[in-house]
Amino acid sequence: MGLGVALSIRSALGTTPVSSVPYVLSLAVPGLSVGTFTILMNVLFVFAQWLILREGFGKRHLLQIPAVVLYGLFTDLNLWLLSGCLPDHYPYKLLLALLSCAVMAVGRKQSGRANRDKEINGFPAFASSYNAPQCPAVGWVIREGRWMLS
């Protein structure tokens, strides 16, 4: 999925919703990369899970941290590998954006297969299922809130 993020950024037509906040922050703070902000944001989500669950926070929840570190590192690696890819013409930008969508779809499908457990599938999935009886829209609010912040 790091390749999909890198392709979307290099297309210069926008970025994926999951990396929109880290991308905007990387533009605001030149010393830190998209991957670094991705890691920091998702570690904050794990911390929020710990605050909510307390006793129910198990070791398996911590598996999110190495996964997001790899995701951030691969995002930065792919951005570096694609650093010479600066499309000038709109059809080429559109091709990169469509390729990004395809790569992200495959990556999301694969991560869905690997992460059937809600605690390992990220904070929005956790929050929406944890608060389901009280407020079923919590996951949607978190996902859409990240998009609106960017």
Side-chain angles (χ1 to χ4, degrees):
M1 287 179 48
L3 176 60
V5 171
L7 286 167
S8 71
I9 290 171
R10 293 295 182 225
S11 75
L13 293 177
T15 186
T16 61
V18 72
S19 62
S20 60
V21 173
Y23 177 64
V24 170
L25 290 173
S26 74
L27 295 176
V29 183
L32 297 175
S33 66
V34 176
T36 302
F37 277 115
T38 299
I39 294 167
L40 292 174
M41 183 179 75
N42 284 288
V43 167
L44 284 174
F45 288 153
V46 174
F47 181 69
Q49 287 178 348
W50 174 76
L51 287 175
I52 293 168
L53 288 177
R54 298 291 178 159
E55 309 81 42
F57 189 85
K59 291 179 183 177
R60 66 182 177 181
H61 293 91
L62 293 174
L63 292 175
Q64 295 173 95
I65 294 174
V68 78
V69 168
L70 287 173
Y71 179 51
L73 292 174
F74 277 112
T75 299
D76 284 344
L77 174 66
N78 284 297
L79 280 169
W80 178 75
L81 290 172
L82 294 171
S83 61
C85 180
L86 302 170
D88 292 334
H89 303 292
Y90 187 76
Y92 185 42
K93 290 179 178 189
L94 187 59
L95 177 66
L96 285 179
L98 291 173
L99 186 57
S100 167
C101 290
V103 169
M104 291 299 290
V106 169
R108 182 66 191 121
K109 183 72 172 172
Q110 294 303 319
S111 70
R113 287 182 185 163
N115 299 325
R116 298 284 182 213
D117 195 5
K118 68 179 182 289
E119 291 87 1
I120 301 174
N121 205 13
F123 186 72
F126 157 75
S128 63
S129 65
Y130 184 76
N131 288 322
Q134 298 87 2
C135 184
V138 170
W140 179 85
V141 169
I142 291 169
R143 284 188 299 273
E144 296 305 311
R146 284 191 306 196
W147 173 77
M148 289 188 294
L149 280 175
S150 65

